[in-house]
């Protein structure tokens, strides 16, 4: 057997694992690109490392597979590391594969030398460097495996001289072909722990189930609906857990937390016990730590760091597997499990949520100059079906879309930036590549659009038919409203933008661009985008005074009825 280039070992491992898409911004390392080309791995060259990471993240959230992004040594790797925060928060299995300066000369002040492992460690579950060619196979498989275990981002650094070197045939052994998919392992609590859960849940009069991001990542769907029926408990989700239960279920009570409908938060505040499934109950989900402080908690999570020593019961286990086991146990004790339940309250909760939903997308708008964001969300909802994917930016866009967009089915049909403004455009492009047969619509604002608008050139060049809806109000509205209603002092020079035509910018980048000012125009533009199957940006002019359902500011801001 002949020696093999390390680049070919990397390419073959990806091919053996069925990894057929790779996100990057080139910056050297041509041996890698040759290896990928020869194995039919599709390379998606983006316009920035940030755009490449966010695109890979959107792809990974849809597929659950290890999804690779590349950064050249030095600034390229630093840019990748900086952009991994959202994947880290969202538990997305993105693998950062970076080159580093040559191992042979790094002690001589090599150009663009950085400690790339140190840069990646805060935003990854595992980071390592393969300094020899015969280390690459084992460490690359480790990076992929760790990405789907927790799950979350990982990092492998390979010096550029190692990428191009040859190594012995034993280092090129075929990779395991068992697909790596998150979550790779599903730990199950013991029967005694499940019985303890049944006993604890039976003690509650007003029980609420909270499904968080961990529940979504675990792939739980019909199990939560079955659990809710058996326990007669309303189900709320965090904004990251949206998609774990359909709105059509009579016990589905919407998104809870800082971005929420008032009725959803009220239901949690009236509860005497909350079953927390895969949620850290952080500041967004807890409405700035006001929702879960004085209620009995039963917590289920695969990460010990997400459990709470002060909770009444902590359960270490995969959410999907644990809920399935709990459903099985409850089926034999259904009457005992709900004997103390306040069924009148449960019915009142269902009625109140149904009433709220009936008016939540009320599109009555007295303004003739600008659309209300509710009209935009309502029009998008009317244009899509339950299998389509909505991708929302953070901030006001997360509030408008996360709270108001109807969840018709379970599964990965709603993705949201976990905290990084500007994530949504490339995130949507990655999601569209992962789900080519589904329609993907991005909801972002003019603030978010400014970060990665240039990735529309990538979409046009590669052929990614996602639709981008930019809610354009000419300002950073979240900041503007905080200044106006909380600080009492508006500072326009740090909020307001020029009168930018994002549709013209999209056209200049090779995509379709259209400006709309009414719901009818928006509906027409969405239909045209669907027919064209071309990347399309819709510049939707909205009212800058419209305040999103950000409940933590309700006491000092004129909150909408929804």
């Amino acid at each position: 057997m002949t020696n093999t280039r390390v680049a070919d070992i990397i390419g073959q491992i990806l091919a053996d694992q069925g990894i057929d898409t790779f996100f990057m911004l080139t910056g050297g390392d041509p041996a890698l690109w040759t290896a990928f080309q020869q194995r039919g791995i599709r390379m998606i060259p983006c316009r920035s490392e940030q755009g490449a990471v966010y695109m890979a993240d959107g792809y990974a959230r849809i597929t659950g597979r290890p999804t690779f992004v590349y950064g050249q040594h030095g600034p390229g790797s630093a840019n990748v590391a900086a952009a991994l925060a959202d994947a880290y928060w969202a538990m997305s299995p993105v693998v950062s594969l970076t080159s580093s300066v040559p191992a042979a000369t790094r002690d001589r002040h090599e150009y663009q030398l950085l400690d790339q492992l140190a840069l990646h460690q805060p935003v990854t579950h595992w980071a390592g460097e393969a300094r020899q060619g015969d280390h690459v196979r084992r460490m690359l498989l480790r990076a992929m495996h760790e990405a789907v275990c927790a799950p979350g981002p990982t990092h492998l650094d390979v010096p550029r001289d190692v990428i191009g070197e040859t190594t012995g045939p034993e280092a090129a052994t075929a990779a395991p072909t068992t697909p790596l998919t998150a979550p790779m392992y599903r730990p199950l609590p013991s029967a005694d722990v499940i019985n303890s859960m049944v006993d604890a849940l039976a003690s509650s009069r007003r029980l609420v189930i909270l499904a968080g991001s961990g529940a979504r990542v675990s792939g739980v769907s019909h199990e939560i609906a079955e659990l809710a029926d058996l326990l007669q408990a309303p189900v709320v989700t965090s904004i990251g857990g949206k998609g774990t239960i359909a709105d059509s279920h009579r016990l589905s009570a919407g998104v809870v937390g800082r971005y929420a409908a008032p009725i959803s938060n009220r239901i949690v505040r009236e509860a005497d016990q909350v079953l927390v499934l895969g949620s850290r109950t952080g500041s967004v989900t807890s409405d700035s730590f006001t929702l879960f402080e004085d209620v009995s908690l039963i917590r289920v999570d695969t990460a010990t760091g997400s459990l709470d020593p002060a909770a009444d019961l902590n359960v270490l286990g995969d959410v999907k597997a644990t809920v399935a086991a709990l459903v099985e146990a409850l089926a034999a004790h259904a009457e005992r499990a709900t004997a103390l339940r306040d069924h009148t309250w449960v019915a009142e909760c269902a009625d109140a949520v149904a009433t709220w939903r009936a008016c939540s997308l009320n599109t009555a708008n007295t303004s003739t100059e600008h659309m209300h964001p509710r009209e935009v969300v309502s029009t998008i909802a009317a244009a899509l079906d339950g299998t389509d994917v909505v991708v929302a930016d953070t901030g006001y866009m997360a509030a408008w879309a996360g709270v108001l967009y109807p969840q018709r089915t379970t599964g990965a049909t709603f993705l949201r930036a976990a905290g990084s403004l500007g994530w949504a455009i490339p995130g949507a492009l990655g999601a569209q590549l992962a789900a080519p047969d589904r329609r993907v619509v991005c909801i972002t604002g003019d603030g978010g659009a400014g970060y990665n608008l240039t990735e529309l050139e990538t979409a046009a060049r590669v052929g990614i038919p996602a639709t981008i809806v930019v809610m354009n109000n000419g300002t950073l509205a979240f900041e503007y409203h905080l200044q106006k209603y909380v600080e009492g002092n508006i500072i326009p020079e740090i909020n307001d933008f020029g009168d930018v035509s994002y549709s013209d910018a999209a056209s200049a980048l090779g995509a379709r661009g259209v400006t709309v000012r009414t719901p009818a125009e928006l509906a027409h533009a969405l239909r045209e985008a669907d027919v064209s199957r071309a990347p399309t940006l819709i510049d939707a002019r909205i009212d800058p005074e419209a305040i999103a359902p950000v409940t933590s500011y309700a006491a000092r801001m004129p909150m909408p009825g929804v």
Side-chain angles (χ1 to χ4, degrees):
M1 296 179 65
T2 59
N3 288 349
T4 304
R5 281 206 303 184
V6 169
D8 289 305
I9 293 173
I10 294 171
Q12 193 58 49
I13 289 173
L14 269 59
D16 289 345
Q17 264 292 311
I19 306 297
D20 59 5
T21 305
F22 190 98
F23 298 89
M24 28 87 87
L25 178 67
T26 54
D29 303 309
L32 269 182
W33 320 135
T34 299
F36 292 168
Q37 182 189 57
Q38 290 174 345
R39 288 162 178 80
I41 296 172
R42 186 183 191 188
M43 292 170 278
I44 309 296
C46 302
R47 298 308 301 257
S48 71
E49 288 90 1
Q50 184 184 75
V53 172
Y54 292 172
M55 219 174 288
D57 187 7
Y59 189 98
R61 294 193 204 184
I62 293 290
T63 65
R65 301 291 322 275
T67 304
F68 281 81
V69 63
Y70 163 87
Q72 181 196 6
H73 62 79
S77 180
N79 289 339
V80 167
L84 279 174
D86 220 80
Y88 181 78
W89 293 322
M91 296 175 286
S92 183
V94 175
V95 181
S96 166
L97 179 64
T98 62
S99 66
S100 55
V101 299
T105 56
R106 63 178 51 183
D107 61 334
R108 301 177 64 186
H109 306 290
E110 179 63 79
Y111 180 56
Q112 296 180 327
L113 173 65
L114 283 175
D115 187 347
Q116 296 175 184
L117 282 179
L119 289 171
H120 278 80
Q121 282 168 349
V123 288
T124 57
H125 289 258
W126 179 89
E129 183 182 27
R131 291 203 178 191
Q132 296 176 205
D134 57 2
H135 293 172
V136 169
R137 178 185 181 276
R138 174 176 52 81
M139 296 189 73
L140 181 56
L141 289 172
R142 175 75 180 273
M144 296 167 69
H145 182 261
E146 294 290 342
V148 297
C149 284
T154 59
H155 169 232
L156 179 62
D157 211 22
V158 186
R160 66 183 315 169
D161 53 348
V162 173
I163 290 174
E165 75 179 31
T166 60
T167 189
E170 66 281 354
T173 306
T177 55
T178 301
L180 294 167
T181 304
M184 194 64 188
Y185 304 109
R186 296 188 179 275
L188 182 64
S190 69
D192 288 344
V193 171
I194 294 295
N195 290 333
S196 295
M197 293 181 72
V198 172
D199 292 341
L201 293 167
S203 69
S204 172
R205 292 189 70 250
R206 294 184 172 186
L207 172 66
V208 169
I209 299 169
L210 166 64
S213 298
R216 174 188 55 78
V217 169
S218 78
V220 71
S221 55
H222 66 275
E223 295 93 347
I224 283 187
E226 291 178 339
L227 182 65
D229 286 332
L230 284 166
L231 289 173
Q232 285 299 290
V235 179
V236 295
T237 75
S238 69
I239 199 164
K242 186 178 174 78
T244 50
I245 190 168
D247 287 350
S248 58
H249 193 285
R250 67 183 185 86
L251 291 172
S252 172
V255 172
V256 76
R258 186 182 298 165
Y259 304 155
I263 182 60
S264 304
N265 284 357
R266 193 192 84 193
I267 288 170
V268 174
R269 289 194 168 95
E270 291 175 352
D272 61 12
Q273 187 176 83
V274 179
L275 173 59
V276 181
L277 302 174
S279 173
R280 295 181 288 260
T281 58
S283 60
V284 173
T285 303
S286 67
D287 195 9
S288 300
F289 306 107
T290 64
L291 281 182
F292 306 104
E293 299 300 292
D294 301 313
V295 65
S296 172
L297 296 180
I298 301 173
R299 305 185 75 113
V300 179
D301 211 290
T302 53
T304 56
S306 296
L307 299 175
D308 182 358
D312 292 75
L313 179 61
N314 281 301
V315 178
L316 187 66
D318 172 72
V319 172
K320 184 180 178 74
T322 302
V323 171
L326 188 56
V327 165
E328 184 178 353
L330 284 167
H333 305 284
E335 291 186 6
R336 183 172 73 86
T338 59
L340 298 180
R341 200 75 71 242
D342 184 344
H343 295 283
T344 300
W345 176 77
V346 173
E348 289 172 350
C349 289
D351 290 344
V353 171
T355 299
W356 174 80
R357 285 203 173 112
C359 66
S360 63
L361 287 177
N362 183 348
T363 56
N365 184 13
T366 57
S367 171
T368 57
E369 184 179 1
H370 302 291
M371 285 184 287
H372 194 284
R374 279 197 302 270
E375 295 179 295
V376 176
V377 176
S378 176
T379 304
I380 292 172
L384 304 184
D385 65 32
T387 65
D388 293 326
V389 182
V390 167
V391 178
D393 236 323
T394 192
Y396 265 12
M397 298 304 109
W400 289 119
V403 175
L404 299 182
Y405 184 77
Q407 187 64 42
R408 297 174 193 143
T409 58
T410 58
T413 59
F414 179 84
L415 306 181
R416 171 238 171 184
S420 304
L421 188 62
W423 178 90
I425 289 179
L429 299 181
Q432 184 70 83
L433 284 168
D437 298 327
R438 297 160 66 185
R439 193 170 182 194
V440 176
V441 173
C442 167
I443 300 176
T444 187
D446 45 349
Y451 284 78
N452 289 297
L453 191 68
T454 51
E455 295 302 344
L456 284 174
E457 190 277 331
T458 304
R461 169 170 34 88
V462 173
I464 310 174
T467 300
I468 313 299
V469 178
V470 178
M471 290 203 202
N472 183 359
N473 52 17
T475 189
L476 292 169
F478 208 139
E479 300 300 316
Y480 161 51
H481 293 149
L482 282 173
Q483 293 164 19
K484 181 176 181 178
Y485 296 109
V486 178
E487 181 68 12
N489 179 44
I490 300 171
I491 312 172
E493 61 268 28
I494 67 169
N495 303 326
D496 294 351
F497 304 122
D499 185 11
V500 176
S501 172
Y502 293 95
S503 59
D504 286 349
S507 298
L509 290 165
R512 295 180 67 253
V514 59
T515 297
V516 300
R517 291 179 170 81
T518 67
E521 291 176 351
L522 175 58
H524 179 71
L526 288 167
R527 287 192 298 270
E528 284 194 326
D530 190 29
V531 171
S532 73
R533 296 298 295 166
T536 300
L537 183 143
I538 301 172
D539 186 344
R541 302 304 174 101
I542 65 166
D543 183 358
E545 298 300 329
I547 297 173
V550 182
T551 59
S552 57
Y553 303 120
R556 289 175 286 183
M557 297 169 72
M559 296 302 299
V562 301

